[in-house]
Amino acid sequence: MSRYYLTTAIDYVNSRPHLGTAYEKVTADVIARYKRLAGFDVHFLMGNDEHSQNVYKKAVEEGFHNNPVAYCDRMEEEFTAVWKALHCSYDDFIRTTQPRHKAAVQKLAQAAYDAGDIYEGVYEGWYCVSCEAFKPEKDLVDGKCPIHPTLTPEWIRDKNFFLRLSKYRDRLIKHFEANPSFLEPEIRRNEILRLLDAGLEDISMSRAGQSWGVPLPFDPDSVVYVWFDALINYATAVGYGTDDARFAQWWPADLHVIGKDITRFHTVFWPAMLWSAGVEPPHQVFGHGWLHYGGQRMSKSLGTSVDPVEAAAKFGPDAIRLYLTKEITYGSDGDFTWERFEERYNVDLANNFGNLVSRVVSMADKYRAGRITPAGDGGRLAGVAGAAFERYRKGMDAFELHEGVAAAYELVDATNGFIADSAPWKLAKDPANAARLDAVLFEAAEAVRVAAVLLRPVMPSSCDEILRRIGAPVTGSDLRLDHARWQSAAERATVQGPPMWPRSEPKETIVTEPAAPASATSAPAAPVPAATAPAADTRIGIEDFLKVELKVAKVREASAMPKSKKLIRLLVDVGEPEPRTILAGIAEGYQPEQLIGKTIVIVANLKPRPMMGTESNGMVLAASGPGQPPILVAADDSLPPGTRVG
Ligand SMILES: [Zn+2]
């Protein structure tokens, strides 16, 4: 089996991780899980960066003067609790204060020293304590660090040891030329190539007069500079300095997943450090973009930070994992807001994938007592699934995670459309259609199975549950990519369950179409249904409210209205002999095929209204916040059509 070793950046533990930090871990976890699905023997490393002056300062502030490691112990618990809440499946969690790391750092520093690549000098310059890096004068913005505009860099003059980085410039250029995929995406590679073109200066690799860090083996009064120390964690974790056989087995790393701001450290300093010590550089580095909050940089000090545990708790960890993977082009910057998150949850999970699973399982239950049997080699969905599989694999292999997810959703959408077109509820009325109904139910369930296998790296626990409900023969970590190929064998037993992702309902409820004008007759001492009443007396009496006949309806058919951006034509069952046609202004919130099977609420006694050449017989209730797409007011699926609401 081929091995695949991937890592994330390790984090300073001076504060708890925010959702921007979690973005990196979740997307790296999606890659790790995808590689496992693809049959690789994966080693996935995450960890904490503890030898930072910021961490040391924070430990002192928190009262850990005598034992900063005890502070780091506490932070390790906090960090790993967050990563577990997000279902990150790391195999190893490294901490840079561990003895194994001290051994590795000292071995690499000594090897570089012995190779003549480390020399003593004096360094002075502007130093940003938050970046833990010297900042060239030209990079400062109004005298401040460009990444930390609230901090003034300090002028520092130090006895330092330097790494002869300049010596490796030509070799780095050749390496980039010979390995076009060494740094991705392309925009990041171009940045580094420009930097190399401009020439390289030697870099400081030690700090004098500090005790927090790994002592230099050739000058124990100095410690190794935190960046030089941190990069070595990737080698430490697979045995560098402690287990040569293991190191030979797992090095070079296949992939370092890092933020776009630290590509220089990983693709210039790090290869030079490794070459100097006679070790191969990693195969590949991916520099992802930043996650913003409402268009602003996510930062605790700016108050634009999102707690990843809160995000995972809102709709379950898989919902936030899907958001981070599907809504952001991997490699570019992305944005998060709670409103947008809720909207995507309702569209992608509650209305789309979750509703599809419910419908397939409940139809299998209703029409075939939960036993579905294959009939033929699959119809049109088999073809869609095959194409989605190829697009998915191509996207995932190229770290276009958003593309992989989009491919899986193509299949989900097509399956919703297939059910609408095949109308199993019509087929079920005539026993002559039994074979066709069998085929439709199996085909829809098989398409759901394939989609769940493809989406499992993103939503592991939900997809396992979906696979269980539709009676998939293989689930969990036994799944391989080949299981995402179409299968038309063996009877399957489906299992009913509560909604996977219940809709999240907005708090404010308004009607999207103009309501029938409320009668202004004065209301005597009748009870008012709403708890709060506005100051101006626009209240209505209960007798007025009771004039409005609200009823539960089920959507049987839905289609777009030609030439209308807002209207969808619905055929709804209101428990009457004939279904009704209603035109609803909800096209900005829904695709027609998502609506089929929904249980909604309508105003049943509205006078018929002609609209765009069609007569609308009633009005659906929907809610929408300012500037938001409308969301239908849903009723419980167990309510039969025609049930009075009020
Ligand atoms: Zn800075």
Side-chain angles (χ1 to χ4, degrees), residues 502-529:
R503 272 197 69 85
S504 171
E505 300 299 345
K507 287 186 190 84
E508 82 185 290
T509 300
I510 57 160
V511 173
T512 54
E513 291 174 41
S519 150
T521 38
S522 64
V528 175

mmCIF file of all heavy atoms in Angstrom, residues 502-529:
data_model
loop_
_atom_site.group_PDB
_atom_site.id
_atom_site.type_symbol
_atom_site.label_atom_id
_atom_site.label_comp_id
_atom_site.label_asym_id
_atom_site.label_seq_id
_atom_site.Cartn_x
_atom_site.Cartn_y
_atom_site.Cartn_z
ATOM 1 N N PRO A 502 -32.732 18.631 10.509
ATOM 2 C CA PRO A 502 -33.997 19.376 10.555
ATOM 3 C C PRO A 502 -33.768 20.817 10.128
ATOM 4 O O PRO A 502 -32.715 21.390 10.422
ATOM 5 C CB PRO A 502 -34.405 19.309 12.026
ATOM 6 C CG PRO A 502 -33.468 18.373 12.687
ATOM 7 C CD PRO A 502 -32.263 18.210 11.819
ATOM 8 N N ARG A 503 -34.745 21.365 9.458
ATOM 9 C CA ARG A 503 -34.610 22.763 9.016
ATOM 10 C C ARG A 503 -34.389 23.689 10.201
ATOM 11 O O ARG A 503 -34.969 23.501 11.264
ATOM 12 C CB ARG A 503 -35.899 23.213 8.333
ATOM 13 C CG ARG A 503 -35.964 22.924 6.883
ATOM 14 C CD ARG A 503 -37.054 23.773 6.267
ATOM 15 N NE ARG A 503 -36.678 25.170 6.280
ATOM 16 C CZ ARG A 503 -35.943 25.751 5.339
ATOM 17 N NH1 ARG A 503 -35.529 25.053 4.309
ATOM 18 N NH2 ARG A 503 -35.625 27.014 5.418
ATOM 19 N N SER A 504 -33.549 24.685 9.982
ATOM 20 C CA SER A 504 -33.394 25.729 10.981
ATOM 21 C C SER A 504 -34.347 26.849 10.596
ATOM 22 O O SER A 504 -34.258 27.377 9.489
ATOM 23 C CB SER A 504 -31.946 26.210 10.968
ATOM 24 O OG SER A 504 -31.814 27.350 11.759
ATOM 25 N N GLU A 505 -35.279 27.149 11.466
ATOM 26 C CA GLU A 505 -36.311 28.124 11.113
ATOM 27 C C GLU A 505 -35.913 29.509 11.586
ATOM 28 O O GLU A 505 -35.492 29.679 12.723
ATOM 29 C CB GLU A 505 -37.648 27.737 11.745
ATOM 30 C CG GLU A 505 -38.152 26.373 11.294
ATOM 31 C CD GLU A 505 -38.398 26.287 9.782
ATOM 32 O OE1 GLU A 505 -38.457 27.346 9.127
ATOM 33 O OE2 GLU A 505 -38.529 25.160 9.270
ATOM 34 N N PRO A 506 -36.061 30.512 10.717
ATOM 35 C CA PRO A 506 -35.740 31.880 11.138
ATOM 36 C C PRO A 506 -36.732 32.354 12.181
ATOM 37 O O PRO A 506 -37.855 31.865 12.245
ATOM 38 C CB PRO A 506 -35.869 32.696 9.857
ATOM 39 C CG PRO A 506 -36.692 31.865 8.939
ATOM 40 C CD PRO A 506 -36.578 30.439 9.362
ATOM 41 N N LYS A 507 -36.301 33.316 12.973
ATOM 42 C CA LYS A 507 -37.148 33.778 14.070
ATOM 43 C C LYS A 507 -38.287 34.647 13.558
ATOM 44 O O LYS A 507 -39.401 34.550 14.006
ATOM 45 C CB LYS A 507 -36.307 34.551 15.092
ATOM 46 C CG LYS A 507 -35.433 33.628 15.898
ATOM 47 C CD LYS A 507 -34.716 34.371 16.997
ATOM 48 C CE LYS A 507 -33.664 33.500 17.646
ATOM 49 N NZ LYS A 507 -32.400 33.503 16.898
ATOM 50 N N GLU A 508 -38.022 35.525 12.589
ATOM 51 C CA GLU A 508 -39.098 36.417 12.150
ATOM 52 C C GLU A 508 -39.818 35.787 10.968
ATOM 53 O O GLU A 508 -39.224 35.177 10.106
ATOM 54 C CB GLU A 508 -38.561 37.812 11.807
ATOM 55 C CG GLU A 508 -37.953 37.955 10.441
ATOM 56 C CD GLU A 508 -37.339 39.331 10.264
ATOM 57 O OE1 GLU A 508 -38.097 40.304 10.181
ATOM 58 O OE2 GLU A 508 -36.113 39.420 10.201
ATOM 59 N N THR A 509 -41.115 35.874 10.966
ATOM 60 C CA THR A 509 -41.927 35.233 9.948
ATOM 61 C C THR A 509 -42.795 36.277 9.270
ATOM 62 O O THR A 509 -43.598 36.937 9.918
ATOM 63 C CB THR A 509 -42.817 34.154 10.589
ATOM 64 O OG1 THR A 509 -41.965 33.206 11.205
ATOM 65 C CG2 THR A 509 -43.679 33.466 9.558
ATOM 66 N N ILE A 510 -42.604 36.428 7.987
ATOM 67 C CA ILE A 510 -43.472 37.356 7.257
ATOM 68 C C ILE A 510 -43.955 36.664 5.998
ATOM 69 O O ILE A 510 -43.431 35.637 5.591
ATOM 70 C CB ILE A 510 -42.742 38.658 6.874
ATOM 71 C CG1 ILE A 510 -41.497 38.354 6.035
ATOM 72 C CG2 ILE A 510 -42.375 39.486 8.090
ATOM 73 C CD1 ILE A 510 -41.020 39.527 5.232
ATOM 74 N N VAL A 511 -44.967 37.190 5.397
ATOM 75 C CA VAL A 511 -45.533 36.611 4.197
ATOM 76 C C VAL A 511 -44.874 37.287 3.004
ATOM 77 O O VAL A 511 -44.737 38.506 2.966
ATOM 78 C CB VAL A 511 -47.058 36.816 4.219
ATOM 79 C CG1 VAL A 511 -47.689 36.382 2.917
ATOM 80 C CG2 VAL A 511 -47.648 36.063 5.393
ATOM 81 N N THR A 512 -44.439 36.506 2.024
ATOM 82 C CA THR A 512 -43.687 37.104 0.924
ATOM 83 C C THR A 512 -44.573 37.808 -0.085
ATOM 84 O O THR A 512 -44.114 38.652 -0.806
ATOM 85 C CB THR A 512 -42.873 36.045 0.174
ATOM 86 O OG1 THR A 512 -43.769 35.015 -0.226
ATOM 87 C CG2 THR A 512 -41.776 35.509 1.033
ATOM 88 N N GLU A 513 -45.833 37.411 -0.176
ATOM 89 C CA GLU A 513 -46.718 38.088 -1.110
ATOM 90 C C GLU A 513 -47.633 38.989 -0.303
ATOM 91 O O GLU A 513 -47.881 38.738 0.867
ATOM 92 C CB GLU A 513 -47.539 37.061 -1.888
ATOM 93 C CG GLU A 513 -46.671 36.268 -2.849
ATOM 94 C CD GLU A 513 -47.452 35.153 -3.515
ATOM 95 O OE1 GLU A 513 -48.621 35.394 -3.893
ATOM 96 O OE2 GLU A 513 -46.914 34.065 -3.636
ATOM 97 N N PRO A 514 -48.161 40.041 -0.927
ATOM 98 C CA PRO A 514 -49.033 40.925 -0.159
ATOM 99 C C PRO A 514 -50.186 40.124 0.437
ATOM 100 O O PRO A 514 -50.838 39.349 -0.251
ATOM 101 C CB PRO A 514 -49.544 41.925 -1.196
ATOM 102 C CG PRO A 514 -48.754 41.699 -2.430
ATOM 103 C CD PRO A 514 -48.041 40.406 -2.328
ATOM 104 N N ALA A 515 -50.400 40.274 1.712
ATOM 105 C CA ALA A 515 -51.460 39.530 2.372
ATOM 106 C C ALA A 515 -52.799 40.172 2.048
ATOM 107 O O ALA A 515 -52.872 41.339 1.666
ATOM 108 C CB ALA A 515 -51.237 39.550 3.876
ATOM 109 N N ALA A 516 -53.867 39.411 2.197
ATOM 110 C CA ALA A 516 -55.200 39.983 2.037
ATOM 111 C C ALA A 516 -55.338 41.104 3.056
ATOM 112 O O ALA A 516 -54.938 40.940 4.204
ATOM 113 C CB ALA A 516 -56.251 38.913 2.296
ATOM 114 N N PRO A 517 -55.837 42.281 2.647
ATOM 115 C CA PRO A 517 -55.888 43.394 3.596
ATOM 116 C C PRO A 517 -56.702 43.012 4.826
ATOM 117 O O PRO A 517 -57.793 42.448 4.720
ATOM 118 C CB PRO A 517 -56.555 44.518 2.799
ATOM 119 C CG PRO A 517 -57.116 43.903 1.569
ATOM 120 C CD PRO A 517 -56.417 42.603 1.339
ATOM 121 N N ALA A 518 -56.164 43.303 5.973
ATOM 122 C CA ALA A 518 -56.856 42.970 7.209
ATOM 123 C C ALA A 518 -58.004 43.952 7.408
ATOM 124 O O ALA A 518 -57.864 45.140 7.142
ATOM 125 C CB ALA A 518 -55.889 43.044 8.376
ATOM 126 N N SER A 519 -59.115 43.461 7.829
ATOM 127 C CA SER A 519 -60.269 44.319 8.071
ATOM 128 C C SER A 519 -59.985 45.227 9.267
ATOM 129 O O SER A 519 -59.328 44.823 10.218
ATOM 130 C CB SER A 519 -61.496 43.447 8.326
ATOM 131 O OG SER A 519 -62.367 44.134 9.185
ATOM 132 N N ALA A 520 -60.439 46.456 9.177
ATOM 133 C CA ALA A 520 -60.115 47.430 10.226
ATOM 134 C C ALA A 520 -61.199 47.529 11.282
ATOM 135 O O ALA A 520 -61.192 48.436 12.091
ATOM 136 C CB ALA A 520 -59.852 48.802 9.613
ATOM 137 N N THR A 521 -62.129 46.582 11.251
ATOM 138 C CA THR A 521 -63.182 46.641 12.271
ATOM 139 C C THR A 521 -62.574 46.599 13.661
ATOM 140 O O THR A 521 -61.630 45.880 13.908
ATOM 141 C CB THR A 521 -64.163 45.450 12.148
ATOM 142 O OG1 THR A 521 -63.415 44.308 11.792
ATOM 143 C CG2 THR A 521 -65.235 45.719 11.136
ATOM 144 N N SER A 522 -63.137 47.413 14.532
ATOM 145 C CA SER A 522 -62.553 47.499 15.865
ATOM 146 C C SER A 522 -62.711 46.178 16.589
ATOM 147 O O SER A 522 -63.720 45.499 16.489
ATOM 148 C CB SER A 522 -63.230 48.610 16.662
ATOM 149 O OG SER A 522 -64.592 48.265 16.847
ATOM 150 N N ALA A 523 -61.664 45.806 17.282
ATOM 151 C CA ALA A 523 -61.677 44.529 17.979
ATOM 152 C C ALA A 523 -62.007 44.753 19.433
ATOM 153 O O ALA A 523 -61.274 45.433 20.126
ATOM 154 C CB ALA A 523 -60.316 43.870 17.857
ATOM 155 N N PRO A 524 -63.133 44.241 19.920
ATOM 156 C CA PRO A 524 -63.414 44.372 21.350
ATOM 157 C C PRO A 524 -62.461 43.503 22.171
ATOM 158 O O PRO A 524 -61.395 43.154 21.705
ATOM 159 C CB PRO A 524 -64.868 43.909 21.481
ATOM 160 C CG PRO A 524 -65.203 43.188 20.213
ATOM 161 C CD PRO A 524 -64.154 43.524 19.199
ATOM 162 N N ALA A 525 -62.829 43.156 23.348
ATOM 163 C CA ALA A 525 -61.889 42.542 24.277
ATOM 164 C C ALA A 525 -61.528 41.095 23.930
ATOM 165 O O ALA A 525 -61.371 40.277 24.817
ATOM 166 C CB ALA A 525 -62.447 42.611 25.685
ATOM 167 N N ALA A 526 -61.411 40.828 22.645
ATOM 168 C CA ALA A 526 -61.040 39.463 22.262
ATOM 169 C C ALA A 526 -59.556 39.241 22.516
ATOM 170 O O ALA A 526 -58.770 40.183 22.429
ATOM 171 C CB ALA A 526 -61.337 39.246 20.783
ATOM 172 N N PRO A 527 -59.150 38.026 22.862
ATOM 173 C CA PRO A 527 -57.725 37.782 23.090
ATOM 174 C C PRO A 527 -56.915 37.982 21.803
ATOM 175 O O PRO A 527 -57.390 37.709 20.714
ATOM 176 C CB PRO A 527 -57.678 36.328 23.551
ATOM 177 C CG PRO A 527 -58.979 35.726 23.142
ATOM 178 C CD PRO A 527 -59.962 36.836 23.032
ATOM 179 N N VAL A 528 -55.735 38.509 21.958
ATOM 180 C CA VAL A 528 -54.849 38.741 20.823
ATOM 181 C C VAL A 528 -53.860 37.572 20.759
ATOM 182 O O VAL A 528 -53.255 37.246 21.779
ATOM 183 C CB VAL A 528 -54.095 40.077 21.003
ATOM 184 C CG1 VAL A 528 -53.084 40.285 19.895
ATOM 185 C CG2 VAL A 528 -55.086 41.230 21.056
ATOM 186 N N PRO A 529 -53.740 36.917 19.625
ATOM 187 C CA PRO A 529 -52.895 35.726 19.597
ATOM 188 C C PRO A 529 -51.407 36.002 19.826
ATOM 189 O O PRO A 529 -50.735 35.217 20.469
ATOM 190 C CB PRO A 529 -53.131 35.146 18.202
ATOM 191 C CG PRO A 529 -53.811 36.210 17.406
ATOM 192 C CD PRO A 529 -54.417 37.178 18.368
#
